[in-house]
Amino acid sequence: MSIIFRANPELADGEVNVIVEAASPTPAVSALMRSVEAIGQTASATIPIETANRLEIVRKSAIVTIAVHGEDLLVRTTSQTLTTRNRLVKLMAKLPVRDFVQISRQAVINLRHLESLEASYSGNMTARLSGDIRETVSRRYVPALREALEA
């Protein structure tokens, strides 16, 4: 592995671009990219969740799942379920990529709360999480979940 620094005067102060080059996308490359992305995220241990009538401050480590439900998002924590009108992509951008993995177009889980994976029908799997929460892992997202578990 080689590490090269190149100054780019076109970038704004404080802006950093990281380019990872490899012959092919391997698990090691993915793990490196997740690590770099995690470094770039804020170090805050909490995240604000805006509900209909208040702003809840939630510990990121307490979030078990985030799932789309109609036009709302259900954020399930170890102690409560919050409903927000936020978008899944926007909320995911504020979470550490080493802990949170998308398991379908509608759901994200916290790997720290994952207890087991069970085979389901049509190549899907069922993720069993703390608090007896179950989420379906779409077969399209199974490889990414397995890779995240190996990292």
Side-chain angles (χ1 to χ4, degrees), residues 11 15 20-21 23 25 40 42-43 59 61 67 76 84 94-95 98 100-101 116-117 122 133 138 143:
L11 294 177
E15 185 178 0
V20 177
E21 294 179 334
T42 61
R59 284 188 348 266
S61 61
R76 293 182 183 167
T84 182
K94 298 176 183 177
L95 298 170
R98 67 185 177 279
F100 291 86
V101 175
S116 68
L117 288 169
S122 303
I133 297 172
S138 170

Side-chain angles (χ1 to χ4, degrees), residues 12-79:
D13 284 343
E15 185 178 0
V16 176
N17 284 341
V18 176
I19 298 171
V20 177
E21 294 179 334
S24 64
T26 65
V29 169
S30 295
L32 175 64
M33 291 173 64
R34 281 195 305 277
S35 297
V36 170
E37 194 171 2
I39 291 168
Q41 292 182 344
T42 61
S44 174
T46 61
I47 184 169
I49 306 289
E50 188 173 346
T51 64
N53 56 357
R54 62 192 296 174
L55 186 66
E56 297 275 347
I57 306 301
V58 177
R59 284 188 348 266
K60 292 176 184 178
S61 61
I63 297 173
V64 179
T65 67
I66 304 170
V68 176
H69 186 65
E71 292 189 15
D72 295 329
L73 277 183
L74 295 180
V75 180
R76 293 182 183 167
T77 70
T78 53
S79 60

